[in-house]
Amino acid sequence: MPSYKAPVEDVLFLLRDVFPIQRYNNLPGFADASPDLVEAILSEAARLCEETLQPLNQPGDRAGCVRGKDGAVTTPSGFKEAYHAFVAGGWVGLSADPDFGGQGLPYTLAAVINEFASSANMAFAMYPGLSQGALAALMTHGTDTQKKMFVPKLISGEWSGTMNLTESHCGTDLGLLKTKAVPEADGSYAIFGEKIFISAGDHDLADNIIHLVLARIEGAPAGIKGISLFAVPKILIEPDGSLGASNKVTCGALEHKMGIHANATCVMNYDGAKGFLVGEPHRGLNAMFVMMNEARLGVAIQGLAISEVAYQNAATYAKERLQGRALSGPKFPEKPADPIIVHPDIRRNLMTIRAFNEAARALVIWTALKSDIAHRSSNEAEIQAAADCLGLLTPVLKGVLTDVGFDNTVRAQQILGGHGYIEEWGMEQFVRDARIAMIYEGANGIQALDLVGRKLAKDGGRAVMAFFAEVKTFIKDNECDASLAPYLAGLKQSLAHLEQATMWFMQNAMAKPENAGAGSYDYMHLFGLVALAYMWAHIAKAAIALKPAANGDATALDTKLLLATYFMERIMPETSAHLSRISSGAATMMALEAEQF
């Protein structure tokens, strides 16, 4: 059976030494996050994830969810008790507004807890995780009445939330959706339609589920400009806040899927269900994008989380499995064979995974801090800069962390050989669970198009130019430090490749947009490599600074420096290949006629 240990010490190193969280004490909630409190929060979250959530992961995958004849969905054994423990600890509302019952602590901490929970049990973590997106949309676009009605219960975890976008005939192209909203005399709307692929669409964990549903008000314009957003409770809410009769929304079916079996992925039927308009009529996408951006960052964290738990189990196996002898001679002559950790190819896979994991965790925290600034600062210039960076990096994180996260589960599975293919060892579940993260909340090809087609040119390229400037400033400020030279050289070269690719798009994609489309996926991964290398440069700087005070026990710091070197030597050369593919343009890719495929 697989195991999991939350990387508390790695997170504390990042929050204490790489991106010191105390620097942000001017922001609401940060002053309350003292070093002792942060450590206590992380330790308690780790205990919950390791002892309560992780043991349910494999049994939950095997059992799956069950839909009864009445459409009600039952989650696997133990999930209800685990959910009650999760909400009793206040984890849903950790970073939520105190005026509505939240704790008001930094979102950065919530992002870390999301990683722990997703590593321990990704299917479970999605239930409270989806409530975060609903909360974000309601807090941004909901009326005071709606906030009072929905938000406190979502924060407490008594109720949960979902997002309902997809229909059988439309996924990314939401302008094609057919779900309709009919105005009622009391100001509400009757919602008619069917939504598919709705994660946590029905379950037995919370007392009520608040569905945020995209629909078109009768008579609204065609296309995306006619879409509105509605809050549709599973159970109607009485004026005094108590629960009343069931609303006309039901789970019509459970999807039979490759992974995340313990999360209920539902077909949702709306048969005149009472809904409440969120935000302005025909401006639903503005409100929904708040949820989608929140969800995309959450999915990026899932990519890291599954990569981390897969690495841990592969590393344990590699140190225990005996097979063959080291190429340089026996390392354990008293044993019948050496453990496979002695073999270079095993180490290649393990180091590749871990070098990604540590940099990706740093990138998540760095980006989460930008989110905290964007939402909590009172300085308009800081807000704009942080929001720019957040918008630019969201498709990069979602696309790159989930792509590489899946690749890393396959690498980890390979280390286990035949046992990696067998259900008992759990590695095949990690592969199956990780695969969905590349698809939902906007398939990764869409993320790449969003990055190249929208984010680069937005506001005259202000965000990407600011990112380039920040990385260049870091390099310039530290280039006199010889100890950082091995890490800065790779970063500098990769940044040059990214700038060349950006310039190539400017010169070749305006007249022929297919050049942008053909190179977008490589550009997204090129950008991701630069961002990860930037994180490794920060980590290396902190590790080097700490070594003199390590009192002879600098093993953990030396490990980080070796991983940083490995990343620069073995992974960063990929930026050259990405640039070459981008520069080849779209001509060959688009040359075949459709019937030639």
Side-chain angles (χ1 to χ4, degrees):
M1 184 175 181
S3 61
Y4 172 65
K5 183 172 179 57
V8 173
E9 290 303 319
D10 281 337
V11 172
L12 288 173
F13 168 71
L14 291 170
L15 293 177
R16 180 183 59 226
D17 303 307
V18 182
F19 307 115
I21 196 171
Q22 301 305 308
R23 291 180 182 172
Y24 302 88
N25 278 355
N26 61 308
L27 300 178
F30 276 78
D32 297 328
S34 66
D36 288 345
L37 180 61
V38 169
E39 185 169 358
I41 288 171
L42 296 180
S43 297
E44 182 60 23
R47 185 192 64 78
L48 175 67
C49 293
E50 293 165 3
E51 298 178 8
T52 301
L53 303 188
Q54 192 277 333
L56 296 174
N57 190 40
Q58 196 173 53
D61 176 71
R62 290 171 177 168
C65 295
V66 177
R67 176 183 174 272
K69 293 181 179 179
D70 60 352
V73 175
T74 302
T75 53
S77 176
F79 269 51
K80 185 182 291 187
E81 293 77 12
Y83 182 80
H84 290 164
F86 193 91
V87 301
W91 298 111
V92 179
L94 185 73
S95 61
D97 191 335
D99 290 342
F100 293 90
Q103 298 178 54
L105 290 168
Y107 163 73
T108 301
L109 293 180
V112 171
I113 292 359
N114 187 8
E115 182 203 331
F116 292 0
S118 297
S119 283
N121 193 325
M122 178 171 156
F124 174 91
M126 290 171 65
Y127 289 105
L130 282 157
S131 296
Q132 301 298 331
L135 278 168
L138 288 166
M139 288 299 294
T140 304
H141 294 282
T143 65
D144 290 341
T145 298
Q146 290 169 349
K147 291 176 185 178
K148 183 178 179 181
M149 181 186 298
F150 300 125
V151 169
K153 296 290 189 180
L154 287 169
I155 286 175
S156 71
E158 294 174 69
W159 299 352
S160 66
T162 71
M163 51 194 299
N164 285 231
L165 291 76
T166 307
E167 300 178 10
S168 59
H169 56 281
C170 71
T172 301
D173 191 352
L174 292 170
L176 299 176
L177 71 80
K178 297 177 181 177
T179 301
K180 68 177 181 178
V182 180
E184 298 281 81
D186 63 358
S188 67
Y189 291 79
I191 310 299
F192 296 88
E194 181 183 87
K195 299 288 185 177
I196 65 170
F197 303 160
I198 308 305
S199 299
D202 195 73
H203 54 79
D204 58 352
L205 305 181
D207 295 334
N208 201 2
I209 303 173
I210 310 304
H211 302 287
L212 290 194
V213 184
L214 286 182
R216 195 183 307 280
I217 298 172
E218 281 191 319
I224 61 173
K225 293 182 179 180
I227 297 173
S228 300
L229 181 66
F230 300 87
V232 184
K234 174 184 176 180
I235 301 175
L236 296 172
I237 304 159
E238 300 292 344
D240 64 359
S242 63
L243 296 180
S246 295
N247 204 355
K248 295 178 181 179
V249 51
T250 57
C251 170
L254 283 175
E255 304 287 5
H256 299 280
K257 38 188 210 299
M258 178 179 177
I260 53 169
H261 293 154
N263 192 271
T265 305
C266 302
V267 175
M268 300 302 298
N269 295 327
Y270 293 86
D271 300 309
K274 183 179 287 290
F276 305 91
L277 181 67
V278 178
E280 300 176 31
H282 319 315
R283 300 275 292 171
L285 280 190
N286 286 356
M288 184 58 83
F289 270 122
V290 174
M291 287 186 72
M292 291 174 69
N293 287 332
E294 187 95 11
R296 284 170 179 170
L297 291 173
V299 174
I301 292 171
Q302 289 178 343
L304 162 62
I306 298 296
S307 180
E308 173 64 30
V309 70
Y311 166 80
Q312 289 186 19
N313 285 274
T316 298
Y317 183 88
K319 288 183 281 189
E320 296 174 352
R321 171 71 170 179
L322 302 181
Q323 188 164 305
R325 290 295 187 184
L327 297 175
S328 56
K331 301 300 182 185
F332 295 85
E334 74 283 2
K335 296 182 178 182
D338 288 334
I340 61 173
I341 192 73
V342 304
H343 302 307
D345 192 61
I346 298 296
R347 287 171 171 255
R348 173 185 64 84
N349 279 313
L350 287 173
M351 291 190 74
T352 297
I353 301 171
R354 185 166 172 184
F356 165 80
N357 289 351
E358 296 211 14
R361 183 172 298 113
L363 185 57
V364 165
I365 287 175
W366 181 75
T367 308
L369 287 167
K370 300 288 187 184
S371 179
D372 275 317
I373 294 170
H375 291 102
R376 299 178 186 230
S377 177
S378 58
N379 183 302
E380 291 299 323
E382 284 185 355
I383 292 171
Q384 182 188 86
D388 282 353
C389 185
L390 196 61
L392 178 70
L393 267 293
T394 294
V396 176
L397 265 77
K398 198 282 181 182
V400 174
L401 268 59
T402 60
D403 271 359
V404 181
F406 172 74
D407 288 347
N408 286 345
T409 64
V410 175
R411 289 187 177 97
Q413 183 184 41
Q414 191 73 14
I415 289 170
L416 270 69
H419 292 299
Y421 201 68
I422 301 301
E423 182 180 290
E424 174 188 356
W425 291 78
M427 197 62 72
E428 58 83 35
Q429 183 191 345
F430 299 146
V431 173
R432 290 186 288 105
D433 285 354
R435 187 63 183 88
I436 186 58
M438 301 163 69
I439 298 172
Y440 60 14
E441 302 308 336
N444 287 354
I446 300 297
Q447 303 301 322
L449 287 173
D450 178 47
L451 174 64
V452 171
R454 294 179 63 249
K455 300 299 175 62
L456 290 187
K458 191 174 185 292
D459 300 311
R462 185 175 68 201
V464 72
M465 290 300 109
F467 177 81
F468 291 165
E470 178 176 336
V471 178
K472 287 179 179 178
T473 298
F474 180 88
I475 294 171
K476 184 177 180 181
D477 290 346
N478 292 280
E479 59 188 358
C480 293
D481 186 345
S483 63
L484 281 174
Y487 318 108
L488 295 183
L491 175 59
K492 189 174 183 178
Q493 180 63 64
S494 67
L495 180 64
H497 290 159
L498 182 60
E499 289 184 302
Q500 290 175 54
T502 306
M503 184 61 66
W504 191 90
F505 281 141
M506 292 175 63
Q507 295 171 345
N508 294 278
M510 293 295 288
K512 189 175 182 181
E514 285 176 343
N515 280 325
S520 61
Y521 215 93
D522 278 287
Y523 186 86
M524 179 180 72
H525 276 275
L526 172 52
F527 207 124
L529 285 170
V530 173
L532 292 169
Y534 185 40
M535 295 301 102
W536 267 124
H538 277 285
I539 293 169
K541 181 178 179 179
I544 290 168
L546 287 171
K547 282 194 68 175
N551 298 322
D553 185 17
T555 303
L557 300 174
D558 286 336
T559 299
K560 293 186 184 302
L561 293 173
L562 278 169
L563 288 167
T565 302
Y566 179 90
F567 190 87
M568 297 301 175
E569 290 179 353
R570 304 281 300 199
I571 299 176
M572 288 312 293
E574 294 173 13
T575 64
S576 178
H578 287 305
L579 175 60
S580 179
R581 287 193 288 263
I582 291 166
S583 303
S584 71
T588 304
M589 187 179 295
M590 304 305 295
L592 291 180
E593 297 297 332
E595 57 270 17
Q596 292 178 267
F597 281 90

